[in-house]
Amino acid sequence: MQSDSLFELESEKSFLGFLLLKGADNLIDIPLVPEDFYQDTNRRIYKAILDLVDKRTAVDPVSVLNFLKENSLLKDPEREYEYIYSLYKDSVVSHPLGYYAERIKRLSERRKYSKLLMNALELIQKEPGENESVFNQIEQSLTDVSRSADVKGLLPVSGDKAALSEYIKEIMESRGQIKGLRTNFTQFDEMTSGLKEYEMMVLAARPGNGKTTLALNIASNVALIHNRPVVIFSLEMSRMELLLKLVCSYAQVESNKLKRSEVTKSDAPKLIDAIIKVTSSPIYIDDSGALSVDDFKGRVRKLLTNETLGLIIVDYLQLMNDPKNRDGGRQQEVSSISRALKQMAKEARCPVIALSQMNRSIEQRSKDQRPQLADLRESGAIEQDADIVTFIYRGEKGKDEEEDPRMKGMAEIIIAKNRSGPTGSFPLAFRPELSRFDNV
């Protein structure tokens, strides 16, 4: 594409001429900024118009020229006086204002991409760092430009009638059916209506309460039952440990028996079948351990070039790092990580489940040790970014065992935050020897 095809001076002139002729009342719906204009003179004129609108001053050639003069923004006064009056007298404005704005914005975004790609080529040729670091920088820049291109700005609701009617019709026709991604844990799916695109779910529990097991059970159900690709980032457990959990859960064979070579003849065919099922499923595992935000984004984006993902799992959030925000303290770093996970849910158009640690203070409570939102470690940013916050509580593991022996072999799943549905709790059977949670 030639450089002269990346701008349309006539569209810029017609847009500004429209405003000078008819005023700027329609600017509320226009997402243009001065930098979107190719020609410098047009940029300065549009900036003057925006400032006049802010000051509630009528927009016409005289007010624009006076503003430019008073703020020392005229570079060639005589020539620019003539240019502004020619916009007022000679511009052809046969289309609505939005028509010209759309063309200016589209070409502005293409110029940004073109400049970014040239910078990327220069970076590839000259940057001495590791390939992954260079590629992540480029991918992040492309994503930032794409995200800014998707921003629609303030729009009137008058244009939403058809889409809103269709959305309400779908809700009414669904009659409570699960519309999101099913986890196959019945009560969870009913309360959340399934995991949705763009959602981030935080799954938290005290150590040894089964948060990795529950996450893997969900991953297994999504990949093996619904055949949706699942990505698992494990920052604590190895690839083989995760696979062993998945296989033993599916085969319902005790992992300790397997590790001690005590499996029976009847267990062998179940294990073989489980190995075949698990290794042929669309599950991707990254057990690199030290995982930065940039590594996470880069690896997901690379996979997105070939796959439409169903679910991303990060085990666990506090083990990730963000070198760019490390100097601001751990609170700021975790906040950046949490925000990155939420943004990736939007970018990948699939839910993200982030496992999380909990504060030790929960163990000091004398009575009810059921987790609360405040018990999340570095809870502020995590709670704010999460669409769903789920806790696992096992009374038999804490001080309530004698008070409630019915919790033996059971877990209480607490949905403490649910942006699009109810909160509450429900029981699941927990069999840690099989790495399984089951509906009851």
Side-chain angles (χ1 to χ4, degrees):
M1 183 176 285
Q2 297 179 352
S3 61
D4 60 359
S5 65
L6 292 178
F7 62 89
E8 286 181 355
L9 293 182
E10 288 306 313
S11 290
E12 292 187 9
K13 291 166 68 175
S14 294
F15 179 86
L16 296 173
F18 189 110
L19 296 176
L20 293 171
L21 275 168
K22 301 184 179 183
D25 293 341
N26 293 327
L27 271 183
I28 188 172
D29 299 336
I30 304 300
L32 287 183
V33 295
E35 291 72 23
D36 287 324
F37 288 80
Y38 177 79
Q39 190 180 75
D40 175 64
T41 307
N42 292 340
R43 281 194 216 113
R44 287 183 282 118
I45 293 171
Y46 187 56
K47 184 182 184 311
I49 290 172
L50 292 178
D51 286 342
L52 289 170
V53 170
D54 282 344
K55 295 176 180 178
R56 300 186 179 182
T57 302
V59 172
D60 57 40
V62 174
S63 63
V64 170
L65 281 167
N66 286 338
F67 181 92
L68 292 169
K69 182 178 179 181
E70 290 165 4
N71 290 276
S72 302
L73 293 175
L74 288 170
K75 295 184 178 180
D76 184 344
E78 184 175 344
R79 181 171 160 274
E80 290 174 1
Y81 269 55
E82 185 178 329
Y83 178 69
I84 290 171
Y85 277 110
S86 74
L87 291 176
Y88 178 73
K89 292 185 299 180
D90 303 332
S91 291
V92 178
V93 288
S94 54
H95 297 285
L97 189 64
Y99 170 84
Y100 302 114
E102 184 178 337
R103 298 184 72 84
I104 294 167
K105 191 71 176 179
R106 176 169 58 85
L107 293 172
S108 170
E109 288 167 356
R110 292 195 180 196
R111 289 196 301 274
K112 288 177 185 175
Y113 258 101
S114 178
K115 182 178 179 180
L116 189 152
L117 291 171
M118 287 189 288
N119 291 341
L121 184 60
E122 184 177 352
L123 188 67
I124 290 170
Q125 292 171 341
K126 296 182 179 180
E127 175 59 45
E130 295 293 327
N131 280 352
E132 189 163 14
S133 174
V134 173
F135 298 158
N136 280 336
Q137 288 183 57
I138 295 169
E139 288 167 357
Q140 182 63 56
S141 300
L142 286 167
T143 301
D144 290 342
V145 172
S146 297
R147 189 173 289 124
S148 67
D150 288 338
V151 174
K152 297 181 176 64
L154 291 170
L155 299 175
V157 298
S158 56
D160 294 324
K161 181 179 178 181
L164 180 60
S165 299
E166 187 63 29
Y167 181 62
I168 292 175
K169 181 182 176 183
E170 287 179 9
I171 293 173
M172 293 176 67
E173 289 178 350
S174 69
R175 299 183 183 276
Q177 295 176 3
I178 309 302
K179 297 185 70 63
L181 181 69
R182 289 178 181 268
T183 68
N184 280 60
F185 290 105
T186 308
Q187 288 181 270
F188 179 88
D189 289 339
E190 288 174 354
M191 292 177 70
T192 62
S193 191
L195 296 171
K196 321 294 189 309
E197 292 181 359
Y198 315 117
E199 280 189 342
M200 180 175 87
M201 170 178 145
V202 171
L203 175 60
R206 288 159 55 197
N209 276 249
K211 58 181 179 288
T212 299
T213 295
L214 183 56
L216 288 178
N217 288 173
I218 293 172
S220 179
N221 291 341
V222 170
L224 274 69
I225 297 175
H226 303 295
N227 199 35
R228 299 290 303 280
V230 176
V231 178
I232 302 170
F233 289 93
S234 177
L235 286 83
E236 195 170 40
M237 297 181 68
S238 73
R239 186 183 195 86
M240 282 301 128
E241 287 178 300
L242 293 176
L243 288 170
L244 190 65
K245 274 181 168 285
L246 288 166
V247 166
C248 288
S249 174
Y250 186 87
Q252 299 197 38
V253 171
E254 292 185 28
S255 58
N256 286 334
K257 285 175 61 178
L258 180 58
K259 290 175 183 177
R260 294 193 302 264
S261 300
E262 294 177 357
V263 293
T264 64
K265 287 185 178 181
S266 62
D267 290 331
K270 291 190 291 184
L271 285 168
I272 292 171
D273 181 54
I275 291 170
I276 294 170
K277 291 285 187 183
V278 169
T279 57
S280 61
S281 68
I283 296 177
Y284 298 83
I285 296 175
D286 185 324
D287 65 344
S288 303
L291 183 71
S292 71
V293 165
D294 284 343
D295 291 337
F296 167 74
K297 291 178 179 178
R299 291 169 196 176
V300 173
R301 286 172 184 149
K302 185 176 180 180
L303 191 56
L304 283 170
T305 60
N306 298 311
E307 285 279 17
T308 301
L309 300 182
L311 178 66
I312 298 170
I313 295 173
V314 176
D315 184 9
Y316 55 90
L317 185 152
Q318 283 86 358
L319 286 179
M320 287 184 73
N321 64 82
D322 184 5
K324 295 176 184 175
N325 285 280
R326 189 172 291 161
D327 293 342
R330 184 58 182 163
Q331 195 84 16
Q332 182 175 326
E333 187 176 11
V334 170
S335 174
S336 172
I337 293 165
S338 174
R339 186 165 57 251
L341 294 177
K342 173 63 178 174
Q343 289 171 347
M344 184 50 69
K346 292 183 177 181
E347 185 178 335
R349 299 180 66 88
C350 77
V352 171
I353 297 179
L355 279 59
S356 175
Q357 288 181 327
M358 296 177 63
N359 293 320
R360 291 183 179 274
S361 59
I362 188 174
E363 300 173 10
Q364 308 305 317
R365 294 207 289 263
S366 57
K367 291 186 178 180
D368 190 358
Q369 293 188 351
R370 283 175 174 78
Q372 303 167 8
L373 289 171
D375 294 322
L376 287 171
R377 185 173 292 185
E378 291 97 11
S379 63
I382 300 173
E383 180 186 342
Q384 180 179 340
D385 292 328
D387 299 284
I388 301 170
V389 178
T390 303
F391 297 112
I392 304 170
Y393 172 67
R394 292 173 59 201
E396 64 176 291
K397 292 283 290 184
K399 298 177 181 179
D400 299 332
E401 181 177 6
E402 294 180 4
E403 298 176 13
D404 191 2
R406 294 172 299 175
M407 289 299 293
K408 189 72 176 175
M410 301 292 291
E412 182 181 356
I413 309 301
I414 302 168
I415 299 181
K417 178 183 178 181
N418 185 6
R419 210 186 292 274
S420 59
T423 58
S425 64
F426 58 90
L428 289 179
F430 182 44
R431 295 189 281 173
E433 72 282 0
L434 300 179
S435 300
R436 283 182 69 92
F437 283 87
D438 286 299
N439 292 308
V440 292

